[in-house]
Amino acid sequence: MKNIILLILILITFNACSLKQTTYTLNKYTLKYDNLKKYNTINKTIIINKPTINPIYNTTDMIYSTQEYKVESYIKNKWSDIPSLIIHQELMSSFDKNGLFNTTYIYPNKEKANYSINTHIYKIENKIKNNISYAILSIKFEIYKDKKLFDTYFYDKSLKNISLQPYDFVKSENILFNEIINDLSNRLYSKLKN
């Protein structure tokens, strides 16, 4: 009887060990504003409102697509936070670094500012077709002056990735993001410096 009980305990222990989950490394990525261009500061203030984002991309999952209308996400590769929060923080960082505005406020700051910016993220994904992948970033900025729409800037950009690896997708997304922020800053500076 003792042998049977011992055998049952060994089998239970063995089964419990075999059910142990397999672990893997989770890679987390972000977007980062890197440009060091400086502007002659415009003596105005701006508040950066919280971006809106297409619900499909409102996740830390890194989205890719291999077919029209079908989206998937990488298992071992994620954004460090949801893209709207990353872009919100990096947009503020970009204006702080390039000195475009005298003061940059970030939502939910209640300070009265000369301008405000609303950001709408339509798409941030890796498009894969015929073993070639493209980073895609589609984003719109609405600039308000005294709560009235002042100007709108829309970007729908793509860049061919070096490989199909998620890290190369992230590098391309960073290139696109920096190009967009630099163009936005240049256009705002040209329009507001007078």
Side-chain angles (χ1 to χ4, degrees):
M1 185 70 174
K2 282 185 180 183
N3 288 341
I4 294 174
I5 293 173
L6 184 59
L7 181 61
I8 291 172
L9 287 173
I10 290 172
L11 287 173
I12 290 172
T13 304
F14 178 74
N15 283 339
C17 290
S18 67
L19 294 176
K20 195 175 187 181
Q21 284 186 327
T22 305
T23 60
Y24 56 86
T25 302
L26 181 63
N27 302 308
K28 291 187 177 184
Y29 300 105
T30 192
L31 297 173
K32 185 169 176 53
Y33 179 73
D34 290 324
N35 192 295
L36 299 177
K37 181 174 182 177
K38 297 281 187 186
Y39 294 91
N40 292 328
T41 301
I42 298 167
N43 193 25
K44 301 289 182 187
T45 58
I46 189 166
I47 188 162
I48 301 169
N49 292 317
K50 188 175 175 185
T52 62
I53 187 167
N54 181 330
I56 293 170
Y57 307 103
N58 193 25
T59 175
T60 58
D61 290 348
M62 289 176 61
I63 303 296
Y64 70 93
S65 159
T66 57
Q67 297 176 20
E68 195 71 30
Y69 314 119
K70 181 180 179 184
V71 293
E72 300 176 67
S73 60
Y74 294 105
I75 294 172
K76 297 194 292 186
N77 299 281
K78 305 277 185 193
W79 291 114
S80 59
D81 207 332
I82 59 175
S84 60
L85 292 180
I86 296 171
I87 289 173
H88 191 211
Q89 185 61 43
E90 286 304 308
L91 188 57
M92 179 178 172
S93 175
S94 70
F95 289 151
D96 282 344
K97 286 178 181 177
N98 66 26
L100 184 61
F101 291 93
N102 188 38
T103 306
T104 304
Y105 300 112
I106 195 164
Y107 176 89
N109 192 311
K110 300 295 185 197
E111 294 293 326
K112 185 169 169 46
N114 303 108
Y115 295 93
S116 64
I117 186 167
N118 291 344
T119 306
H120 307 284
I121 305 159
Y122 298 111
K123 194 178 279 190
I124 180 168
E125 76 173 44
N126 193 17
K127 182 94 169 167
I128 303 168
K129 190 172 183 178
N130 299 326
N131 280 335
I132 300 172
S133 70
Y134 295 87
I136 296 174
L137 183 56
S138 182
I139 192 167
K140 180 172 82 170
F141 301 98
E142 296 169 344
I143 311 301
Y144 289 85
K145 180 180 181 183
D146 302 321
K147 300 187 180 181
K148 292 183 183 173
L149 185 62
F150 177 72
D151 213 341
T152 302
Y153 303 99
F154 178 72
Y155 300 90
D156 191 16
K157 297 180 75 80
S158 66
L159 180 63
K160 184 177 177 182
N161 301 322
I162 295 171
S163 77
L164 298 176
Q165 297 300 314
Y167 181 66
D168 288 322
F169 157 63
V170 171
K171 288 195 302 189
S172 294
E173 279 295 335
N174 271 280
I175 290 168
L176 292 175
F177 179 71
N178 276 271
E179 285 176 359
I180 288 169
I181 298 305
N182 289 334
D183 185 74
L184 174 68
S185 297
N186 285 334
R187 291 165 79 177
L188 283 174
Y189 182 72
S190 294
K191 199 151 194 178
L192 302 178
K193 66 182 177 180
N194 298 325

